[in-house]
Amino acid sequence: MTYVQKNIETASDKYSAGFTKGSLALPPAKKYLILTCMDARIDPAAAFGIELGDAHVIRNAGASAVDGLRSIVISEQLLGTTEIAVIKHTGCGMLTFTNDDAYNIVAKNLGPEAEAELKSRNLNFLPFPDLEKAVKEDVEFLRSTKLVPDTVAISGWVYEVETGKTRRVV
Amino acid sequence: MTYVQKNIETASDKYSAGFTKGSLALPPAKKYLILTCMDARIDPAAAFGIELGDAHVIRNAGASAVDGLRSIVISEQLLGTTEIAVIKHTGCGMLTFTNDDAYNIVAKNLGPEAEAELKSRNLNFLPFPDLEKAVKEDVEFLRSTKLVPDTVAISGWVYEVETGKTRRVV
């Protein structure tokens, strides 16, 4: 058993011992979803004030709305959420490379079979060079896609990993 | 301003006032990633014992490894993680519909333009009828894709929303 696996089992014992929320409903009680980054420096529940059971939380590299679209549509259309907050963050890894950089690193590290799989899956790493612009573009994408109705409230934010603050962009 | 937006601002003030972790490094300190569901009833930091800065957390509808592949490759190849824990959960929404159900609901609710966009994006909602089988299949997918090297340790788990426990499947 690895350190990580042991850590999950230890956390499970501790968390379940004091667990009192076993009867929450499947649909989010407060009917909203947070889309944020997978970054290790973000604790969405604490930083964004999410009570257990209240909101969907989608996380991927860079808080990409395009990459998150499948989950967003499921949240809105099948589980009744009516509001989206897109929260990217300072110091994001997605600001540090281009799609070509990432392709070349994967091809070099993992070889031609991996490169072929990247191509066959048409994988786009979706990096961005400008943080606030990327927030605005993702909000605009969600406002323009026909898969999110116009009745859904959409806002865009930046979380500062240096200060713990979350500030509104759009 | 909506309730949700106000709630984020209130949480930001409170969280940043006591924030002391402003100097954490970009790559996850413990070099692992958790892939879990966007479900509102999951608090990964508390339930899985993740300290701030230690691990990437990817969340999407159903904890899908296929849907998360872009983020997983970025985590492994660009940000140095070496271990993955896939954690699906009891009572998951993805157990309650088929891909055709979801298509039909979206088309009915949002109309022909949305249906056309679903098709042009080739969106697959990736539901699953059997929870433990889905965990095993996702772990198998990650072990077989050339985009995740064989050196990466991969485990599969089920989180029980009724008890707060996380149990190993594979």
Side-chain angles (χ1 to χ4, degrees), chain A residues 1-5 7-9 11-12 15-16 19 21-26 28 30 32 34 37-43 45-62 64 66-67 69-71 73-75 77-79 83 85 87 91-94 96-97 102 105-106 109-110 113-115 117-118 121 123-126 141 144-149 153-155 157 159-166 168, chain B residues 1-5 7-9 11-12 15-16 19 21-26 28 30 32 34 37-43 45-62 64 66-67 69-71 73-75 77-79 83 85 87 91-94 96-97 102 105-106 109-110 113-115 117-118 121 123-126 141 144-149 153-155 157 159-166 168:
Chain A
M1 195 183 301
T2 68
Y3 164 85
V4 168
Q5 291 157 7
N7 188 57
I8 293 171
E9 296 200 341
S12 170
Y15 187 68
S16 62
F19 190 71
K21 305 275 183 128
S23 301
L24 295 170
L26 167 55
K30 294 276 197 320
Y32 71 103
I34 298 267
C37 185
M38 68 178 180
D39 194 284
R41 296 165 294 179
I42 304 173
D43 179 351
F48 312 140
I50 310 167
E51 294 293 323
L52 199 70
D54 276 1
H56 282 146
V57 180
I58 299 169
R59 300 181 66 175
N60 63 41
S64 165
V66 173
D67 190 42
L69 188 60
R70 166 186 160 271
S71 298
V73 174
I74 291 169
S75 178
Q77 293 300 308
L78 297 170
L79 294 166
E83 179 159 359
I87 310 180
C92 186
M94 306 306 286
T96 66
F97 60 85
I105 288 167
V106 172
N109 285 355
L110 299 179
E113 281 186 315
E115 189 175 6
E117 190 176 335
L118 269 187
R121 291 185 182 277
L123 215 63
N124 186 331
F125 291 108
L126 301 168
F141 167 74
S144 63
T145 172
K146 300 299 179 189
L147 295 172
V148 176
I154 304 169
S155 56
W157 308 70
Y159 172 73
E160 300 175 350
V161 296
E162 302 85 2
T163 65
K165 283 184 188 160
T166 306
R168 181 88 178 262
Chain B
M1 197 184 299
T2 68
Y3 164 85
V4 167
Q5 291 156 8
N7 189 56
I8 293 171
E9 295 200 343
S12 170
Y15 187 68
S16 62
F19 191 70
K21 303 276 183 127
S23 301
L24 294 170
L26 168 55
K30 293 278 197 318
Y32 71 104
I34 299 267
C37 186
M38 68 178 179
D39 193 284
R41 296 164 295 178
I42 304 173
D43 179 351
F48 312 140
I50 310 168
E51 295 292 324
L52 199 69
D54 276 0
H56 282 148
V57 180
I58 299 169
R59 300 180 67 175
N60 62 40
S64 164
V66 173
D67 190 42
L69 188 60
R70 166 186 159 273
S71 298
V73 174
I74 290 170
S75 178
Q77 293 300 307
L78 297 170
L79 294 166
E83 178 159 2
I87 310 180
C92 186
M94 306 305 286
T96 66
F97 60 85
I105 288 167
V106 171
N109 285 355
L110 300 179
E113 282 186 315
E115 189 175 5
E117 189 174 334
L118 269 187
R121 290 185 183 279
L123 215 63
N124 185 330
F125 292 106
L126 302 168
F141 167 74
S144 63
T145 172
K146 299 299 179 191
L147 295 172
V148 175
I154 304 168
S155 56
W157 308 71
Y159 171 73
E160 300 175 351
V161 296
E162 301 84 3
T163 65
K165 283 184 189 162
T166 306
R168 181 88 177 260

